[in-house]
Amino acid sequence: MSDTLQTKAQVINQFLPEKLTTKHSAEAFAPSNIALCKYWGKRATELNLPTNSSLSISLGHLGSHTRISHSENGADVVKLNNRTQDEQSSFCRKVIAFINLFRRDQSIPLVIDTRNNIPTAAGLASSASGFAALVLAINDFFELRLTKVQLSAFARMGSGSASRAIYTGFVRWDMGKQEDGMDSVASQLDFQWDDFCIGLIKVSSAKKPVDSRSGMDRTTATSSLYQNWPAQAAADLITLQKAIENRDFSAMGACAEQNAMSMHATMISAWPPLVYWLPESLAVMQRVWQLRESGIAVYFTMDAGPNLKLLFEESSRKLLETEFPQMDIIQPFKSH
Ligand code: PMV
């Protein structure tokens, strides 16, 4: 790596006033999202700059609420779902390290209170919505008046997929080319798809043995299949965007499923192999393929874990609810 690469602190610092002002408190919400074209692999690790652009659908009202206020006792307090977190916990350390990028050496003790309303039964990661809600709350609390482009770039530094969680609906994250990453940001696609349904199927709640960050690094370093990935992702992004524009559900679903399977192929061919699937994951995939054979337009996508996200339209909802009674259904474009 060249020594001209900038750190997160250096990039963010350019957009901050010398002395911060603060509000009494600030609160923000960001939705969780599921990638239809996955972000998989980094061209620069410090800033989470990706090797490919990606596209996601946000999960409506499911996500993270974060509130920032002044701490009365002179020390930072980090809460998650109403519970104060141990200061040595990885959650607490990540949140404080992120806040410190903005607070720098100014002594402003804070209470950072995060609540996730993603059903624990859904088996979804909350780092994307968590970092996006945190950066939105920071922007408001310190009265920074950052633009959405800047907020997306800063959320990305917490977790890549958080860059997309600044927006709702269909969101594209462009990989960008600048070294400081300020062009590696998300934007919202101007499309509504009222009938669009996402079914969350949790097959395991066990903590995954390898998180997505390490899985990504291992895959890019050791999988010979990975070299094909950036070109495939670029092609998939175009196909998906066209399918969304044309409301072609089958084209969209087929592309999203193949994109997820291709990402998993790169994981499986990493060394040591990364197989996130469980026998139950494969059983759901096989049932989805059978249903498709019988004429039901249902597809799936999967991330770095064993749980599945089914993609279907409202017309198939009743039937799929009977097939998968354990499924949580989200309609991203319908208000709840
Ligand atoms: O944002 P991260 O570092 O948790 O990585 C997310 C990676 C995937 O979920 C597998 C794909 C994606 O685009 O969300």
Side-chain angles (χ1 to χ4, degrees):
M1 261 187 217
S2 96
D3 54 13
T4 58
L5 286 186
Q6 297 182 47
T7 62
K8 294 181 186 113
Q10 283 168 333
V11 175
I12 293 177
N13 202 27
Q14 305 168 64
F15 300 92
L16 300 179
E18 205 143 299
K19 189 150 176 23
L20 293 169
T21 58
T22 60
K23 281 187 168 174
H24 175 69
S25 67
E27 199 160 343
F29 168 77
S32 191
N33 68 72
I34 287 177
L36 303 173
C37 177
K38 308 293 184 188
Y39 147 53
W40 195 242
K42 294 174 196 183
R43 65 174 193 280
T45 45
E46 161 75 9
L47 299 176
N48 287 339
L49 297 177
T51 44
N52 65 278
S53 301
S54 58
L55 193 152
S56 63
I57 173 97
S58 88
L59 295 188
H61 71 294
L62 295 185
S64 306
H65 284 272
T66 298
R67 184 171 190 276
I68 300 180
S69 55
H70 290 276
S71 168
E72 301 302 328
N73 67 5
D76 290 327
V77 179
V78 174
K79 294 185 187 176
L80 177 60
N81 295 336
N82 292 324
R83 288 206 167 155
T84 300
Q85 302 296 297
D86 186 281
E87 60 185 43
Q88 290 311 319
S89 67
S90 79
F91 181 83
C92 189
R93 283 189 293 163
K94 276 190 225 163
V95 168
I96 298 296
F98 195 76
I99 287 253
N100 284 345
L101 294 169
F102 296 83
R103 198 166 46 176
R104 293 162 296 178
D105 54 359
Q106 294 167 60
S107 163
I108 310 171
L110 299 170
V111 178
I112 303 116
D113 185 356
T114 302
R115 284 155 221 242
N116 294 327
N117 65 2
I118 303 163
T120 40
L124 279 180
S126 49
S127 66
S129 56
F131 276 110
L134 182 57
V135 84
L136 289 166
I138 287 171
N139 182 45
D140 192 16
F141 185 80
F142 293 119
E143 304 183 298
L144 300 176
R145 294 180 191 84
L146 296 169
T147 63
K148 281 210 156 185
V149 169
Q150 292 158 350
L151 290 166
S152 175
F154 298 168
R156 186 226 324 120
M157 295 180 196
S159 163
S161 50
S163 65
R164 301 185 305 238
I166 296 293
Y167 298 94
T168 59
F170 292 109
V171 180
R172 191 184 65 221
W173 167 18
D174 287 304
M175 60 182 286
K177 343 188 239 289
Q178 282 172 219
E179 234 179 45
D180 69 357
M182 290 312 291
D183 59 349
S184 183
V185 293
S187 58
Q188 190 165 346
L189 304 188
D190 191 16
F191 287 101
Q192 283 272 122
W193 196 327
D194 289 348
D195 294 346
F196 201 106
C197 297
I198 299 166
L200 306 174
I201 300 190
K202 183 182 170 190
V203 302
S204 165
S205 52
K207 192 175 170 339
K208 47 187 175 187
V210 182
D211 63 19
S212 54
R213 186 171 290 244
S214 330
M216 225 179 260
D217 293 347
R218 189 191 296 180
T219 305
T220 48
T222 64
S223 164
S224 60
L225 295 188
Y226 186 78
Q227 64 195 37
N228 294 325
W229 170 257
Q232 169 162 3
D236 288 349
L237 191 82
I238 295 170
T239 307
L240 276 167
Q241 213 165 314
K242 272 205 195 111
I244 292 167
E245 281 168 28
N246 298 334
R247 283 181 181 257
D248 183 342
F249 187 78
S250 297
M252 186 282 305
C255 187
E257 185 173 307
Q258 196 177 16
N259 182 272
M261 292 303 260
S262 304
M263 175 182 74
H264 280 272
T266 70
M267 297 165 167
I268 293 167
S269 55
W271 195 260
L274 268 172
V275 183
Y276 283 104
W277 303 355
L278 292 175
E280 296 85 344
S281 320
L282 190 58
V284 174
M285 291 181 205
Q286 285 172 328
R287 188 67 194 126
V288 166
W289 294 327
Q290 278 172 353
L291 289 164
R292 243 181 12 241
E293 284 276 298
S294 74
I296 315 295
V298 55
Y299 299 84
F300 65 80
T301 184
M302 284 179 84
D303 294 294
N307 303 312
L308 286 96
K309 291 99 185 188
L310 302 197
L311 309 170
F312 53 94
E313 287 187 294
E314 201 162 3
S315 50
S316 314
R317 182 179 178 139
K318 279 245 141 56
L319 187 142
L320 291 169
E321 269 173 341
T322 321
E323 280 291 333
F324 303 104
Q326 76 279 36
M327 172 164 77
D328 274 307
I329 300 179
I330 294 145
Q331 288 197 265
F333 296 98
K334 292 240 162 115
S335 49
H336 294 261

